[in-house]
Amino acid sequence: MQQSLDIALIGNPNTGKSTIFNGLTGMKQKISNYPGVTVERKVGRMTIDGTEHRVIDLPGTYSLNHKKVDEKITYQTLIGEFEHERSPDLAMVILDASNLDRNLYLATQVMDLGIPMIVVLNMMDIAEDRGLGVDPERISETLGVPVVPVVGKRRKDIEKLRQAVAGHDLSRPEPLRWQSDDAMNSAIEMITEKWLESYTDLPPQSHPIEALRLISDNQLSDAFKNHPDRGKADEIVAEARKLIENNGGNPSADEVLARYNFIEQCTDGQEDESAGEDTLTDKIDAVVTHKVAGPVIFVGILMVMFQAIFSWAEPFMNMIDLIFVQAGNWLSTTLPPGMLNDLLVEGVVAGLGGVVIFLPQIMFLFLFISILEGTGYMARAAFVMDGVMTKIGLHGRSVVPLISGFACAIPGIMATRTIDNWRDRFITIMVLPWMACSARLPVYALMIAAFIPDQTLLGFFGLQGLTFFGLYFFGIVMAVLAAVLIKQFFPTGEQTPFMMELPSYKMPKWSDVFKNMFERGWVFVTQAGKIIIAISIVLWFLASFPEVEVPQDVQQAQTTTETSFNAQTSPESYKLKNSYAGMLGQAMEPVIAPLGFDWKIGIGLITSFAAREVVVGTLNTIYSVEGDGEVVTLQQKLINDVDPETGEPVFTTLTALSLMIFFALAMQCMSTLAIVKRETNTWKWPIVMFVYMTAFAYLCSLLTFQVGTALGYG
């Protein structure tokens, strides 16, 4: 085969499609999203006998009768209708050899499109272990297409696939080889001639599948729903269904029955030595998917996983932090003082450090996720948790990303790639930042230590500890409520029933596990990182300009206007107050004053957009905090600060509660917005997220402060 081909890999979920994609393309891959949606697009290159071929890993699907966005992308790509993807020259249909009946259903649909194809019987080792007498030659003869039995993780079997591609003559399979009856054929022809050819621009190769979909669904969907002549289509479909019924058929079921009768010809005579016996997978599943033991095991695995992530990632994060601090110090002392020095040290190096420091958590998280997926446990976890998550509009696979959000929203949002359904993945992304991440801890710790009394309730519970727990619980409740709300209003979503095959347990392919881990890290650094660094430089500019000097009269003054704001001992605090960020903070004061915040907190709200914990450092600078034990010193400064006009304390318990609630709910993290943009492929959803979270944070803080003040707690 000297012709360069576009080769599409298609298959049911959990058939080892990604393993084969990795085997065929090696490191020559590009990962991105399809435009406007959170569906991952993986494209790679492979060279055979000097000819380079383009390989695309299409989203997994059980059927071409698409119900979800990702399934629709797969279908539209195959028929050449998807504007962002070329129609493939060759389809490689990956089947699980240990579960052929269901997998062959999709293969017969792809055949109906008339695309040159190769059927790949993957996981032959599992089929052999289970004593299944899979006969590739019989399947090939029945389908009329090449069939290649493989074990996807074996290099020699990948070579067999490459040779199958090289030897393919690009002959097209026979559509409707599954032998639909005369009435069904007449109904297909009727819809094709009277509707599809006359009123639509759909490619001819899609007509049989489209006609069958209309007959079985008995309703118009997708673009047909809003077609100006949909009344005509309704009449034609009704006429076609009537034709089948008059011949004693069932228009909703005949196609499915005929396909499975055809599939039986492929597997006829296939022995199943394990029939009636529990396999090892069955025995493990009896415990792992048990309605009581299943959730307990799942929670236990998560606890081990996240404890490991925290403990394993921390040394690497500390090392990265130290490297960037040292690099900043070196640059600061090496370069002459000036704008370039400040830009590189405080803008570029600080921004780059803010990106790379997340890398260990992301890589360890995806190491565990890849292992769980590779062994087949992730599908069980989704199955076990789906009942609970469905009630709030999410998917069982949403649990791992949401819990990841307690460490950091960024790896959590990237972990939503394990959710196949676009709508479920989108809702999970939109509510995940409300899970209390570790960046909120410094803010909570400072405010609780300073303003929540160190008292004991009921002789056991500490009030400070309860406040801390309450803030975490508050975030979970808000995330659940937001999921329920988005579920009601999300415009294009359609809740699909939970359908997932539980693959057999197996040892993961370790090269794929580590490859996936490094891929995720690289995607984060190269794509989200660019946005984060750009925003870091903008924030540096706002906090550094215009450059001002402390006036002589201020330097010689005995005291400043605010008790704890001391420009004499810290010129930096004076410069920060008069920077663009300071001006914005002061301009914001009328807006944030109803929340109990003054201009100093306003500056903190701006600078903490780089990262939530930055607000503590900003307050340190403003209040001229120096030396060791900074938090304690800052804590006392905040307690002592009084309004120069009223003489009332600037910070009270109510102010602290209002501020903590604001930080619990507001989108104060540019890195999260950058990764949401990366995952949704548009700025639309990060902007929506920023607006709705900030608006809700403002409303809740306002209610907290104003109601508290009215009740006399101000």
Side-chain angles (χ1 to χ4, degrees):
M1 176 66 64
Q2 297 300 315
Q3 176 186 351
S4 180
L5 303 175
D6 277 358
I7 302 170
L9 302 192
I10 178 175
N12 291 182
N14 299 314
T15 56
K17 188 161 57 68
S18 296
T19 299
I20 290 176
F21 175 78
N22 290 334
L24 290 174
T25 61
M27 298 301 290
K28 300 175 182 177
Q29 299 181 9
K30 182 178 181 181
I31 301 175
S32 59
N33 274 8
Y34 288 99
V37 295
T38 58
V39 179
E40 188 172 83
R41 176 178 182 269
K42 296 178 74 173
V43 178
R45 305 273 176 181
M46 71 169 175
T47 302
I48 304 175
D49 299 332
T51 303
E52 187 176 78
H53 303 283
R54 180 172 171 269
V55 184
I56 177 169
D57 186 7
L58 292 175
T61 181
Y62 290 105
S63 164
L64 296 186
N65 296 338
H66 52 84
K67 302 292 185 186
K68 301 180 292 187
V69 172
D70 40 1
E71 294 174 344
K72 185 176 181 180
I73 289 173
T74 294
Y75 172 66
Q76 289 184 319
T77 299
L78 290 175
I79 67 173
E81 194 191 23
F82 191 55
E83 59 181 326
H84 305 289
E85 202 68 78
R86 287 180 290 179
S87 178
D89 303 303
L90 178 67
M92 193 175 281
V93 184
I94 316 298
L95 311 185
D96 178 356
S98 65
N99 188 8
L100 274 180
D101 286 349
R102 170 143 192 95
N103 282 247
L104 278 167
Y105 188 90
L106 176 64
T108 63
Q109 288 187 311
V110 178
M111 287 173 60
D112 287 348
L113 297 177
I115 303 173
M117 61 185 283
I118 296 172
V119 168
V120 180
L121 300 180
N122 192 23
M123 305 184 193
M124 284 296 290
D125 53 341
I126 295 175
E128 291 171 1
D129 289 344
R130 292 173 58 178
L132 301 177
V134 177
D135 186 348
E137 292 184 4
R138 183 186 183 90
I139 296 172
S140 176
E141 183 181 342
T142 306
L143 298 180
V145 299
V147 174
V148 184
V150 301
V151 177
K153 55 188 178 183
R154 293 178 184 165
R155 185 173 298 178
K156 65 178 183 180
D157 285 358
I158 294 296
E159 186 57 31
K160 284 168 59 180
L161 290 178
R162 293 161 61 87
Q163 293 308 314
V165 171
H168 203 288
D169 58 6
L170 298 185
S171 58
R172 297 177 181 275
E174 177 187 351
L176 304 180
R177 192 180 175 95
W178 45 276
Q179 298 176 338
S180 51
D181 60 26
D182 292 341
M184 180 67 77
N185 288 335
S186 298
I188 293 171
E189 291 176 7
M190 179 187 297
I191 292 176
T192 300
E193 293 174 2
K194 294 184 176 180
W195 172 250
L196 296 172
E197 291 181 347
S198 304
Y199 292 91
T200 75
D201 296 325
L202 288 170
Q205 65 268 28
S206 70
H207 289 173
I209 286 288
E210 289 290 340
L212 288 166
R213 190 157 64 98
L214 288 170
I215 292 170
S216 60
D217 287 354
N218 193 25
Q219 61 180 351
L220 302 184
S221 58
D222 301 327
F224 294 161
K225 290 171 65 175
N226 300 317
H227 197 288
D229 295 303
R230 69 163 294 175
K232 182 73 175 176
D234 285 330
E235 293 175 8
I236 297 169
V237 172
E239 186 180 353
R241 288 176 59 89
K242 188 71 175 177
L243 174 64
I244 296 172
E245 291 171 348
N246 289 342
N247 283 274
N250 182 334
S252 298
D254 280 1
E255 178 204 350
V256 176
L257 293 174
R259 286 190 191 276
Y260 276 113
N261 287 336
F262 178 66
I263 290 168
E264 278 187 9
Q265 297 175 33
C266 297
T267 58
D268 188 28
Q270 175 177 301
E271 297 178 357
D272 186 354
E273 295 178 1
S274 64
E277 299 178 6
D278 285 344
T279 64
L280 178 61
T281 292
D282 295 331
K283 293 174 183 175
I284 296 174
D285 276 345
V287 178
V288 170
T289 61
H290 188 271
K291 63 181 180 182
V292 176
V296 173
I297 292 172
F298 176 65
V299 172
I301 290 175
L302 285 182
M303 289 177 65
V304 172
M305 182 171 127
F306 288 110
Q307 181 60 36
I309 289 173
F310 274 120
S311 57
W312 293 1
E314 187 176 2
F316 293 98
M317 296 177 74
N318 292 337
M319 183 175 66
I320 291 171
D321 193 29
L322 179 62
I323 290 172
F324 278 92
V325 168
Q326 293 297 331
N329 290 337
W330 180 81
L331 273 177
S332 179
T333 54
T334 304
L335 295 176
M339 185 185 303
L340 179 62
N341 188 315
D342 293 344
L343 172 63
L344 291 177
V345 175
E346 299 172 16
V348 177
V349 174
L352 191 60
V355 174
V356 180
I357 199 168
F358 291 115
L359 202 53
Q361 282 189 344
I362 290 172
M363 295 180 70
F364 278 122
L365 177 63
F366 278 100
L367 172 68
F368 281 104
I369 287 177
S370 298
I371 292 173
L372 294 179
E373 287 211 305
T375 56
Y377 179 76
M378 189 62 88
R380 273 80 181 177
F383 172 77
V384 166
M385 297 304 298
D386 191 69
V388 176
M389 302 306 289
T390 299
K391 292 178 182 175
I392 59 174
L394 296 176
H395 189 278
R397 283 180 178 262
S398 302
V399 173
V400 171
L402 286 174
I403 295 178
S404 303
F406 283 123
C408 176
I410 293 167
I413 289 171
M414 293 187 70
T416 61
R417 286 170 177 263
T418 59
I419 304 172
D420 297 324
N421 184 295
W422 177 83
R423 177 180 178 273
D424 295 334
R425 187 180 173 204
F426 170 78
I427 296 176
T428 306
I429 288 174
M430 294 301 284
V431 306
L432 196 146
W434 271 345
M435 307 301 282
C437 68
S438 57
R440 292 177 170 99
L441 285 177
V443 186
Y444 294 167
L446 174 65
M447 292 296 151
I448 289 175
F451 299 103
I452 302 300
D454 186 14
Q455 299 175 352
T456 302
L457 297 180
L458 304 176
F460 182 76
F461 297 106
L463 185 57
Q464 292 184 334
L466 283 176
T467 304
F468 196 76
F469 170 79
L471 288 165
Y472 270 75
F473 186 71
F474 180 63
I476 296 172
V477 171
M478 289 297 104
V480 170
L481 292 177
V484 173
L485 192 65
I486 296 174
K487 175 187 175 184
Q488 302 298 322
F489 290 96
F490 191 59
T492 58
E494 179 183 349
Q495 186 66 38
T496 56
F498 183 77
M499 185 175 67
M500 175 181 289
E501 284 188 38
L502 300 182
S504 300
Y505 289 104
K506 56 184 179 294
M507 184 64 70
K509 187 179 181 184
W510 292 105
S511 60
D512 284 351
V513 168
F514 289 108
K515 184 176 182 180
N516 186 49
M517 180 182 76
F518 285 110
E519 276 181 354
R520 301 305 174 191
W522 181 248
V523 166
F524 170 71
V525 171
T526 57
Q527 299 191 28
K530 289 184 287 190
I531 303 171
I532 295 170
I533 290 175
I535 298 176
S536 296
I537 292 174
V538 171
L539 288 175
W540 164 80
F541 177 82
L542 291 175
S544 304
F545 293 92
E547 292 184 291
V548 296
E549 297 296 331
V550 182
Q552 198 69 24
D553 57 334
V554 174
Q555 293 183 24
Q556 295 176 351
Q558 294 300 314
T559 59
T560 56
T561 52
E562 286 90 10
T563 303
S564 299
F565 180 72
N566 195 329
Q568 291 77 41
T569 58
S570 176
E572 291 301 320
S573 63
Y574 181 87
K575 294 177 180 177
L576 184 56
K577 180 182 179 182
N578 290 279
S579 67
Y580 292 123
M583 295 176 196
L584 285 173
Q586 293 170 73
M588 288 168 55
E589 196 168 44
V591 178
I592 60 178
L595 312 184
F597 305 162
D598 69 351
W599 66 269
K600 297 188 284 295
I601 297 178
I603 297 177
L605 296 181
I606 295 171
T607 57
S608 64
F609 190 62
R612 290 182 175 90
E613 64 271 30
V614 172
V615 70
V616 177
T618 301
L619 292 175
N620 266 327
T621 301
I622 294 174
Y623 283 101
S624 314
V625 175
E626 295 178 347
D628 297 331
E630 290 182 348
V631 171
V632 175
T633 306
L634 176 60
Q635 174 183 324
Q636 197 58 48
K637 290 273 187 178
L638 297 178
I639 295 171
N640 294 339
D641 196 10
V642 297
D643 187 313
E645 296 181 0
T646 65
E648 297 292 328
V650 172
F651 284 89
T652 63
T653 299
L654 201 53
T655 306
L657 283 174
S658 177
L659 185 62
M660 287 189 288
I661 287 176
F662 188 88
F663 268 83
L665 299 178
M667 175 36 70
Q668 291 292 104
C669 181
M670 65 174 183
S671 303
T672 300
L673 291 177
I675 203 67
V676 171
K677 189 271 175 185
R678 164 68 184 82
E679 294 300 305
T680 60
N681 236 4
T682 173
W683 276 110
K684 174 184 175 182
W685 296 120
I687 292 172
V688 170
M689 175 183 282
F690 177 79
V691 171
Y692 97 85
M693 288 185 67
T694 305
F696 202 71
Y698 185 91
L699 179 64
C700 290
S701 291
L702 180 69
L703 287 173
T704 301
F705 189 77
Q706 294 300 328
V707 172
T709 302
L711 294 176
Y713 293 106

